Amino acid sequence: MSFQTFSLHQLGWRPGFAQHLTLEDFEAGYPARVVGVHRNGLSVLSSRGVATVVLSHNLESAVTVGDWVLLEMDAARVLRMIERHSLIARIAAGTGQGTQTIAANLDTLFVVTSCNDDFSLSRLERYLSVAFESGVEPVIVLTKSDLCADVDGYIDAARTIAADVAIVAIDATSTVSVGQLARWLEHGQTVAFVGSSGVGKSTLANTLAGDDTQTTGGIREDDARGRHTTTSREMFALPSGAWVIDTPGMRELRVGAVETGMNTVFDDIAAFAARCRFGDCSHEGNAGCAVEQAIAEGQLDARRLVNYRKLLRESTHASNTLKERHDRNRQFGKLSRDVQRAQREKKGRDY
Ligand SMILES: Nc1nc2c(ncn2[C@@H]2O[C@H](COP(=O)(O)OP(=O)(O)OP(=O)(O)O)[C@@H](O)[C@H]2O)c(=O)[nH]1
Ligand SMILES: [Mg+2]
Ligand SMILES: [Zn+2]
């Protein structure tokens, strides 16, 4: 236990959160912000200071860094999670279809990529879809500008897929350069850095923090791939009073259900599709399709359409899996209610 305490305001509390809390909630507990999730519990900050609290089994997979929880008044125990205003998540890497939460209650998602071989428009579209889906403002951060002879080329390329998104090129090792991000890093704001390994997320976090809290690593010379230096997520304060969540580099961001977010990122494709004269068109190569025509006329990049389709397939698959799970749970719920009723009736007969 440390004696440093934090006001709700300082921790990024939003008035909207209180709407989800009842008078009973406020009598039973107090809000705390989750800054770390560990095997043995949560690290939290609150008006009562820094603490480690145990997590009941049913919340174990749900709570993530940036979340707000209600702590029991006189015990280091989580009563419940407070509804989030935003959540960044992905489908867990590997074969399963489980959702992996990355960060909650963000104001800004810094999508970090370098001005080198890591840069990929399709990957940016992927990250932007996730950000827009969750209602978090994305900012594209292009690192290693100091090592690149054509920074403007990268900025221009990024702008072709994200006309309304802020794009900032920085040298993550330079305090002056990272100052360009100041307007997203005001007191009480919460941001997260996501991107491939080695792009400089932790370097940027350290430069902003003015210390070396985050371990950083090199990249492989041949393909600019990182070495997965950061292995866990944690949230910490900057001198400005903003909260930063550094995350481990991702090899791939498999998207969950992001169709809403995709409509923002791919609004051009949506507009062409709306103009398509075939009502039930899948826009997958039909003669006379407006989307196909846009490609033929050079108004739409073929790469972009391919990526759109790929993301849409992933998103649809995720929605279907969710729906199936939901239906299964409902059926299971009905089954257990039936069993319970049968047991009650049997009991009634026995006595
Ligand atoms: N010159 C220069 N080097 C940078 C910049 N950003 C990062 N680096 C270097 O790139 C390497 C990788 O940086 P990290 O900060 O560890 O990358 P990361 O994104 O945190 O990587 P993971 O933790 O593996 O996901 C380090 O050697 C950094 O010093 C930059 O803007 N300019
Ligand atoms: Mg790192
Ligand atoms: Zn069509």
Side-chain angles (χ1 to χ4, degrees):
M1 199 69 163
S2 131
F3 290 106
Q4 188 183 6
T5 62
F6 300 85
S7 71
L8 288 180
H9 177 65
Q10 215 175 352
L11 290 172
W13 179 262
R14 290 189 174 196
F17 289 133
Q19 285 167 15
H20 303 294
L21 296 173
T22 64
L23 206 55
E24 287 75 34
D25 282 334
F26 278 115
E27 274 163 11
Y30 61 99
R33 189 120 196 235
V34 177
V35 295
V37 178
H38 315 291
R39 201 189 293 272
N40 51 351
L42 305 176
S43 306
V44 296
L45 306 181
S46 72
S47 56
R48 300 189 176 194
V50 185
T52 302
V53 296
V54 287
L55 197 53
S56 58
H57 209 64
N58 58 333
L59 282 175
E60 216 157 74
S61 58
V63 178
T64 194
V65 176
D67 263 323
W68 282 93
V69 291
L70 197 68
L71 292 188
E72 192 172 341
M73 208 55 94
D74 301 307
R77 205 166 68 90
V78 176
L79 290 172
R80 67 180 189 82
M81 200 175 88
I82 300 173
E83 278 75 357
R84 311 158 159 140
H85 70 72
S86 67
L87 174 70
I88 296 292
R90 66 163 173 172
I91 302 296
T95 51
Q97 274 294 322
T99 303
Q100 184 191 26
T101 56
I102 295 169
N105 298 314
L106 295 184
D107 297 292
T108 308
L109 184 70
F110 286 113
V111 178
V112 188
T113 178
S114 304
C115 300
N116 61 22
D117 283 352
D118 180 72
F119 184 89
S120 149
L121 293 178
S122 295
R123 191 184 314 108
L124 285 175
E125 287 166 345
R126 192 170 272 274
Y127 278 102
L128 295 182
S129 296
V130 169
F132 284 121
E133 178 72 25
S134 55
V136 175
E137 181 192 358
V139 172
I140 297 175
V141 179
L142 301 171
T143 55
K144 311 196 184 184
S145 63
D146 55 309
L147 301 177
C148 175
D150 181 25
V151 177
D152 287 339
Y154 284 94
I155 296 176
D156 292 344
R159 189 152 291 137
T160 61
I161 59 127
D164 301 325
V165 174
I167 303 165
V168 187
I170 57 163
D171 168 1
T173 64
S174 151
T175 308
V176 173
S177 184
V178 305
Q180 293 177 80
L181 303 177
R183 69 180 162 111
W184 294 281
L185 298 169
E186 286 170 6
H187 187 269
Q189 301 269 67
T190 307
V191 306
F193 299 141
V194 291
S196 316
S197 177
V199 294
K201 300 178 295 297
S202 301
T203 303
L204 175 55
N206 284 341
T207 306
L208 289 168
D211 60 29
D212 284 338
T213 329
Q214 301 295 305
T215 310
T216 60
I219 58 169
R220 302 193 303 218
E221 287 302 322
D222 48 345
D223 58 2
R225 287 259 176 94
R227 300 172 193 277
H228 292 278
T229 308
T230 305
T231 52
S232 67
R233 284 165 294 136
E234 58 173 315
M235 189 173 107
F236 54 90
L238 297 183
S240 69
W243 294 92
V244 167
I245 299 169
D246 184 16
T247 70
M250 281 183 250
R251 213 152 51 75
E252 60 162 15
L253 177 79
R254 260 173 82 198
V255 300
V258 292
E259 226 179 304
T260 309
M262 285 179 66
N263 285 337
T264 304
V265 178
F266 298 98
D267 57 349
D268 52 343
I269 295 182
F272 290 125
R275 246 180 273 160
C276 190
R277 61 197 167 95
F278 306 117
D280 57 348
C281 187
S282 59
H283 318 297
E284 302 239 11
N286 301 343
C289 165
V291 177
E292 294 295 333
Q293 201 187 329
I295 289 186
E297 291 171 0
Q299 294 177 311
L300 178 63
D301 190 358
R303 176 211 59 79
R304 188 162 160 82
L305 181 61
V306 168
N307 195 40
Y308 169 82
R309 284 178 183 153
K310 185 165 183 235
L311 283 172
L312 194 59
R313 273 197 302 277
E314 269 179 50
S315 173
T316 307
H317 183 66
S319 321
N320 290 344
T321 310
L322 263 178
K323 190 178 168 303
E324 273 165 32
R325 195 171 299 157
H326 182 75
D327 289 348
R328 251 203 322 275
N329 286 344
R330 273 214 337 240
Q331 274 169 18
F332 180 73
K334 182 177 178 314
L335 185 69
S336 24
R337 280 193 301 278
D338 288 348
V339 169
Q340 281 167 10
R341 187 174 325 113
Q343 281 172 343
R344 273 200 307 276
E345 282 165 8
K346 182 172 180 294
K347 254 189 191 155
R349 279 201 304 278
D350 286 350
Y351 289 102

